Amino acid sequence: MKKILALLLALCMVFALAACGESKAPEQPAESPAAETPAEAPAETPAEEPAEKTDMRVAMITDYGDITDQSFNQTTYEACKAYCEENGVDFTYFKPAGDTTADRVAMVEKAVDEDYNVVVMPGFAFAGTIAEVQDEYPEVKFIALDVSEFDIMSAFENEKDAHLASNVYSAVYQEELCGYMAGYAAVKMGYKHLGFLGGMAVPAVVRYGFGFVQGADAAAKELGIENEVAVEYVYGNQFFGDADITAYMDTWYGEKGVEVVFACGGGIFTSAAEAAAKVDGKIIGVDVDQASVIDSNYGEGMTVTSAMKGLAATVKHMLSEVAAGNFANYGGKVENLGLVSGDDAALNYVQLPLESTVWNDGFTQDNYKELVKAMFDGTVTVESISDASAMPEHSITVTDYGNIK
């Protein structure tokens, strides 16, 4: 009997303790000074910010290349990743199975299915994707790079349906300006036999190339050597290097005596660099500062300069604006980014790298800054041409070979 009473007593104590635990749990928020004191409520705001940021989930989708292309895709990927890691935002990327709009749309669908609500898309190839998905996913914010309004409108089968939705923002760049800078710098530095190797003759690449020709022509005129400067001009018709394009570049650097090639088009620079390495030739990089990549893999000092556009700056700015709730200020717009300062060249969305460019007595860093100021002020003007058949007027010798393939 004593054992039974003891057991009953023990059970009563357990239930009592459990009941105490349950009764205290809901009381905890009421005991919080912040909850009880309205004057202290604003102190909760910083604590709530991380929760709001985690609501933003970012996905990037690659275009023709992948995140190791050492150019457009890689720069976009690294900028997205850096921002998201710094701000506690979920991030991933998707690589389409093939090079079609259907493949890219499938990756957008996959991203949305996995609850990503901000999708970053680099490259004009996403025009068709935007046309298909912008209305299908109105709650998703799409950030595109280098997709022009013309590209998007042209992607619609019915012209009457063509539109840009309020959940889409695209940044395009004035590539002709940094192309001009690169061509001007090359001739001023003493190079007289130049080459332009474009990826495909799409508007952005054409603007780079024709800006390059205009810059080389202007520098040659200033130096009075128009008859001595020549530009070999060709498109590989793809955004990656291969044996055929390398062989073509071998001919340029070897038989033709080309000194420096502006390799403009994703991974196609590899073919130019492989050929340059055999004869101590030079390269001009594109989109980002490619000096570290090219020089470390193909030869120290190979990269003369790079014609850059602010991909990373655009990505980080737009993601921060989304996080701040300001996307409505950008949605439905295509911004054409170029020069924003004549005094600080590093602030511009198109520029040459100050640190890695191989400045010399013919073209110093100060000379570059003077050029940028003149371009910003309008003293120096550059024609923006997107039509591959409309080569700008020039006094130097330009030989256009069309496509390698």
Side-chain angles (χ1 to χ4, degrees):
M1 185 66 177
K2 291 181 179 179
K3 290 183 178 179
I4 293 173
L5 289 172
L7 179 60
L8 289 172
L9 180 60
L11 288 171
C12 289
M13 291 176 67
V14 169
F15 286 130
L17 288 171
C20 290
E22 290 173 357
S23 64
K24 286 186 179 179
E27 292 175 2
Q28 288 175 356
E31 293 172 0
S32 169
E36 291 177 356
T37 310
E40 296 184 12
E44 293 184 350
T45 303
E48 291 175 358
E49 285 183 0
E52 292 176 359
K53 288 176 181 176
T54 56
D55 290 340
M56 182 172 104
R57 305 188 74 224
V58 179
M60 175 210 159
I61 301 173
T62 63
D63 66 351
Y64 298 104
D66 58 31
I67 61 168
T68 62
D69 68 358
Q70 300 171 333
S71 186
F72 213 86
N73 287 285
Q74 184 169 343
T75 301
T76 305
Y77 167 78
E78 290 176 350
C80 287
K81 186 172 182 288
Y83 175 86
C84 291
E85 287 181 349
E86 290 169 6
N87 294 278
V89 176
D90 285 342
F91 169 68
T92 193
Y93 82 97
F94 297 91
K95 179 174 170 53
D99 182 23
T100 68
T101 292
D103 292 320
R104 287 182 274 272
V105 168
M107 291 300 97
V108 172
E109 292 172 344
K110 182 174 175 61
V112 176
D113 286 345
E114 296 182 14
D115 296 324
Y116 289 94
N117 51 21
V118 180
V119 177
V120 182
M121 303 175 292
F124 76 97
F126 281 98
T129 305
I130 292 170
E132 288 195 31
V133 304
Q134 60 181 353
D135 295 327
E136 184 72 18
Y137 304 109
E139 75 284 0
V140 177
K141 296 175 176 64
F142 296 101
I143 298 172
L145 304 174
D146 256 9
V147 187
S148 71
E149 188 169 6
F150 174 80
D151 293 332
I152 296 170
M153 298 306 171
S154 299
F156 286 87
E157 291 184 11
N158 189 335
E159 187 177 337
K160 293 181 180 179
D161 296 331
H163 67 286
L164 183 65
S166 61
N167 59 331
V168 179
Y169 165 82
S170 182
V172 295
Y173 302 88
Q174 296 170 31
E175 294 92 354
E176 68 276 6
L177 300 184
C178 51
Y180 182 101
M181 296 172 190
Y184 184 92
V187 173
K188 285 285 189 172
M189 289 175 176
Y191 298 103
K192 296 180 180 179
H193 201 166
L194 287 58
F196 175 82
L197 171 63
M200 299 176 71
V202 298
V205 177
V206 173
R207 288 193 293 270
Y208 265 131
F210 287 172
F212 184 71
V213 170
Q214 292 177 73
D217 188 64
K221 286 178 180 176
E222 288 183 15
L223 295 172
I225 56 172
E226 301 99 304
N227 295 332
E228 301 175 36
V229 176
V231 178
E232 312 293 340
Y233 197 104
V234 77
Y235 297 99
N237 207 29
Q238 61 189 42
F239 287 109
F240 57 91
D242 64 14
D244 294 334
I245 296 176
T246 300
Y248 202 95
M249 291 295 100
D250 283 336
T251 300
W252 273 16
Y253 281 109
E255 295 176 16
K256 292 185 178 296
V258 171
E259 300 166 283
V260 57
V261 171
F262 181 17
C264 179
I268 203 168
F269 77 89
T270 58
S271 280
E274 287 171 7
K278 299 170 187 175
V279 294
D280 196 27
K282 303 297 182 183
I283 296 286
I284 293 173
V286 74
D287 289 337
V288 298
D289 184 356
Q290 291 189 309
S292 61
V293 171
I294 294 175
D295 290 12
S296 61
N297 287 287
Y298 300 97
E300 190 64 32
M302 179 180 288
T303 311
V304 173
T305 190
S306 295
M308 307 191 304
K309 49 190 177 186
L311 301 172
T314 306
V315 168
K316 292 180 179 179
H317 172 70
M318 286 308 302
L319 291 180
S320 66
E321 288 294 271
V322 172
N326 296 330
F327 185 80
N329 297 332
Y330 302 87
K333 297 179 182 178
V334 176
E335 283 193 306
N336 190 15
L337 305 176
L339 301 177
V340 295
S341 174
D343 298 318
D344 188 346
L347 295 178
N348 294 317
Y349 281 99
V350 287
Q351 57 180 275
L352 302 183
L354 292 172
E355 298 302 322
S356 66
T357 296
V358 185
W359 313 106
N360 63 20
D361 292 340
F363 193 65
T364 66
Q365 193 173 113
D366 286 340
N367 294 148
Y368 166 63
K369 291 177 180 178
E370 291 169 3
L371 173 64
V372 171
K373 184 171 180 57
M375 294 173 75
F376 182 79
D377 293 342
T379 306
V380 171
T381 59
V382 185
E383 189 177 2
S384 177
I385 306 172
S386 301
D387 180 356
S389 65
M391 179 70 70
E393 293 185 7
H394 52 273
S395 300
I396 59 177
T397 301
V398 180
T399 305
D400 188 346
Y401 298 95
N403 292 319
I404 295 175
K405 296 188 175 185

